[in-house]
């Protein structure tokens, strides 16, 4: 199994930046596609950004493209989400997700709260 622990959330003013980290343990994430998913109050979860197991394929939701950057360091078993130019609508709990590229088994972290004030 893979355990995921997110960190780096907090309260920031609009226009500010935060860097989320996802620490994986239990298995190496070298064969896992990784994603950041967020859920705002009263809304469904939405995929913010994904990065393939090799790092060669990256996807961003249109609402964050140009502001957020996803990256991974497989040697450290870490995934990151750099968030710049934050907006109040980015307020949500952000979850880290790992999906095995072969078996499709997936794992979730407990989430980290990001709050952006106007």
């Amino acid at each position: 199994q893979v355990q995921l622990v997110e960190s780096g959330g907090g309260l920031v003013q609009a226009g500010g930046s935060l860097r989320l980290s996802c620490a994986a343990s239990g298995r190496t994430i070298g064969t896992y596609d990784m994603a950041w998913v967020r859920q705002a109050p009263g809304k469904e979860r939405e995929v913010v950004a994904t990065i393939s197991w090799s790092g060669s394929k990256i996807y961003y939701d249109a609402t964050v493209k140009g502001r957020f950057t996803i990256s991974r360091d497989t040697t450290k078993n870490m995934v990151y989400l750099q968030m710049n130019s934050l907006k109040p609508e980015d307020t949500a709990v952000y979850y880290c997700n790992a999906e095995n590229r072969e078996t499709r088994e997936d794992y979730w972290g407990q989430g980290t709260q990001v709050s952006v004030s106007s």
Side-chain angles (χ1 to χ4, degrees):
Q1 288 199 349
V2 177
Q3 292 80 43
L4 303 171
V5 178
E6 303 94 334
S7 62
L11 175 63
V12 64
Q13 288 189 334
S17 298
L18 285 173
R19 188 193 194 207
L20 304 184
S21 298
C22 173
S25 61
R27 293 179 183 171
T28 176
I29 60 170
T31 56
Y32 286 78
D33 298 324
M34 304 298 296
W36 286 97
V37 179
R38 68 185 179 188
Q39 185 167 24
K43 295 186 177 182
E44 295 187 354
R45 287 188 180 186
E46 61 176 357
V47 176
V48 174
T50 66
I51 185 167
S52 64
W53 65 276
S54 65
S56 62
K57 295 181 180 180
I58 290 177
Y59 160 84
Y60 295 103
D61 182 79
T63 60
V64 307
K65 200 168 187 178
R67 301 187 297 122
F68 290 11
T69 302
I70 188 171
S71 62
R72 65 189 296 159
D73 186 340
T74 301
T75 63
K76 296 181 179 179
N77 242 23
M78 296 287 294
V79 180
Y80 307 97
L81 185 69
Q82 178 66 43
M83 306 187 295
N84 299 329
S85 303
L86 283 161
K87 304 175 181 180
E89 50 263 45
D90 294 319
T91 295
V93 178
Y94 284 70
Y95 298 91
C96 181
N97 171 262
E99 183 176 281
N100 186 284
R101 67 185 183 98
E102 295 178 350
T103 67
R104 314 317 296 177
E105 61 182 328
D106 73 331
Y107 302 93
W108 293 87
Q110 83 291 346
T112 185
Q113 176 70 48
V114 171
S115 299
V116 184
S117 63
S118 56

